[in-house]
Amino acid sequence: MEKIFVTIGIPVFNAEKFIFKSIVSILNQTYQNFELIITDDGSTDSTLEVIQSFNDSRIKVIADGMNKGISYRLNQQINLAQGKYFIRMDADDIMFPDRIEKQVKFLENNEKIDAVGTSIVVLDDEDHIIGFREAILLNEYTELFDKILFNHPTVAGRIEFFKKFLYSEDLAGVEDADLWIRSFPSSNFEVIKEPLLFYRDPLVFKLRTYKSRLDKKNKLLKKNEYLKRRFILKQKFIIVNKLKMLAATLLSKIHLDQLLIAGRNTKELPNKKEWEKTLNSITDGK
């Protein structure tokens, strides 16, 4: 058997509506030398039945019936991975057909880069294209405390990088922000400007989730060694997050919480027809 070169990891929880399309988009990649590790986090719907409907020896399913959280499941995948590269994927997203090929080629041609992300085309729950988010590389360490380095499910990186840093299981929800902050000083990152993933985001604001993530972000900030030596800067970030929580609560009460997510995506969609054609070729099984 040909040596496994790439490990794709999907953590799943109650993803019966979307997981079929996600797996189809992986199996139909132009790059075929991979294993797909799917870790179920105690799903109570028909997610596992959908996954098991695929007959492909490259798919490995880990299901223990427990709910451990995304960080635990990602670390499970990383520890089991046999590939040279580890490629992130969420259960409700869809890969462009050449995503793996292009990211593997990039990493092969740039040996000093530890991980690379891409831009994304945003979908609602009915597969309508509703936005675009361009990947922009952050170069200053302090930018990571209030901005996002990567669109997390677009990331591909060297397995040694992921095994070295792993995900913090007590920071699920901001596990990606924590990973980049911890690894940034000793790592090299890059982005591919073209979109290689259809990312699911119906743009529905969830106050409890938003507040939970800000709480964990503040926990992350308080633990950070760099900020421990810069008390004023740390307090600034923490206060800003608390103000965000207050504003979100007030806007939610007066039913204006959509203002908090209105600016997530670029409104201009210059390649929408081309993206729709690509998406339809995947979802229609052509």
Side-chain angles (χ1 to χ4, degrees):
M1 180 179 290
E2 189 177 20
K3 180 174 168 37
I4 294 170
F5 194 48
V6 167
T7 298
I8 303 165
I10 305 181
V12 299
F13 176 73
N14 289 350
E16 63 180 5
K17 183 177 179 180
F18 304 113
I19 188 63
F20 184 86
K21 292 177 182 177
S22 294
I23 294 175
V24 166
S25 76
I26 293 171
L27 298 182
N28 290 333
Q29 287 289 297
T30 57
Y31 189 93
Q32 288 286 304
N33 192 20
F34 63 80
E35 64 174 350
L36 170 58
I37 300 177
I38 303 176
T39 48
D40 181 71
D41 199 37
S43 292
T44 57
D45 63 2
S46 63
T47 295
L48 282 174
E49 287 84 347
V50 175
I51 296 169
Q52 290 163 354
S53 70
F54 289 90
N55 183 21
D56 192 305
S57 61
R58 294 172 296 180
I59 300 176
K60 302 174 182 179
V61 184
I62 311 298
D64 54 24
M66 295 185 285
N67 185 257
K68 295 280 194 175
I70 187 171
S71 296
Y72 179 90
R73 298 305 176 188
L74 288 171
N75 289 340
Q76 235 184 347
Q77 295 166 5
I78 292 164
N79 289 324
L80 291 169
Q82 299 180 61
K84 180 177 181 180
Y85 301 117
F86 180 70
I87 301 198
R88 278 282 290 112
M89 177 73 168
D90 281 343
D92 56 353
D93 298 333
I94 297 172
M95 290 188 182
F96 277 59
D98 54 357
R99 176 198 172 180
I100 305 301
E101 180 181 354
K102 287 185 175 179
Q103 288 190 290
V104 167
K105 182 178 180 180
F106 181 91
L107 289 167
E108 285 286 281
N109 291 336
N110 296 274
E111 294 182 358
K112 293 184 178 180
I113 299 299
D114 295 292
V116 59
T118 80
S119 298
I120 54 176
V121 176
V122 183
L123 303 179
D124 65 12
D125 285 352
E126 306 305 322
D127 290 342
H128 299 128
I129 293 175
I130 59 174
F132 172 72
R133 297 181 198 171
E134 182 181 10
I136 299 174
L137 188 67
L138 303 180
N139 295 305
E140 297 296 329
Y141 182 59
T142 54
E143 289 183 287
L144 274 68
F145 296 116
D146 63 355
K147 295 180 181 178
I148 298 174
L149 178 62
F150 292 124
N151 297 307
H152 194 198
T154 71
V155 172
R158 302 180 191 281
I159 192 61
E160 292 85 358
F161 165 81
F162 286 100
K163 288 186 174 181
K164 177 180 179 180
F165 291 102
L166 293 174
Y167 288 89
S168 297
E169 293 180 21
D170 62 333
L171 292 172
V174 294
E175 73 285 343
D176 53 331
D178 171 69
L179 174 63
W180 312 131
I181 288 171
R182 284 188 290 112
S183 62
F184 190 88
S186 60
S187 304
N188 295 303
F189 301 125
E190 192 51 85
V191 295
I192 296 172
K193 289 291 187 179
E194 70 175 299
L196 294 177
L197 187 80
F198 292 103
Y199 176 80
R200 191 83 57 181
D201 187 353
L203 300 180
V204 176
F205 184 75
K206 298 177 181 178
L207 180 61
R208 181 180 295 181
T209 301
Y210 183 77
K211 292 173 73 173
S212 173
R213 287 179 177 172
L214 285 177
D215 279 334
K216 289 185 177 180
K217 189 68 178 288
N218 280 345
K219 180 179 179 181
L220 181 164
L221 296 172
K222 290 174 183 178
K223 289 172 57 177
N224 182 264
E225 292 297 327
Y226 177 87
L227 291 179
K228 282 181 180 179
R229 301 190 299 271
R230 294 163 176 81
F231 178 79
I232 294 176
L233 183 61
K234 179 179 70 175
Q235 290 305 116
K236 171 191 170 184
F237 287 127
I238 291 173
I239 290 170
V240 167
N241 284 340
K242 288 183 177 180
L243 290 174
K244 287 180 180 178
M245 286 188 211
L246 178 61
T249 302
L250 292 174
L251 287 172
S252 183
K253 285 183 177 180
I254 60 176
H255 307 293
L256 290 177
D257 45 16
Q258 283 296 313
L259 293 175
L260 293 165
I261 56 177
R264 282 186 187 177
N265 303 319
T266 300
K267 294 181 180 179
E268 295 182 4
L269 302 171
N271 297 317
K272 186 176 181 180
K273 289 185 178 180
E274 180 183 335
W275 296 335
E276 286 177 336
K277 183 178 179 180
T278 299
L279 180 62
N280 289 335
S281 72
I282 300 167
T283 57
D284 292 344
K286 296 178 181 178

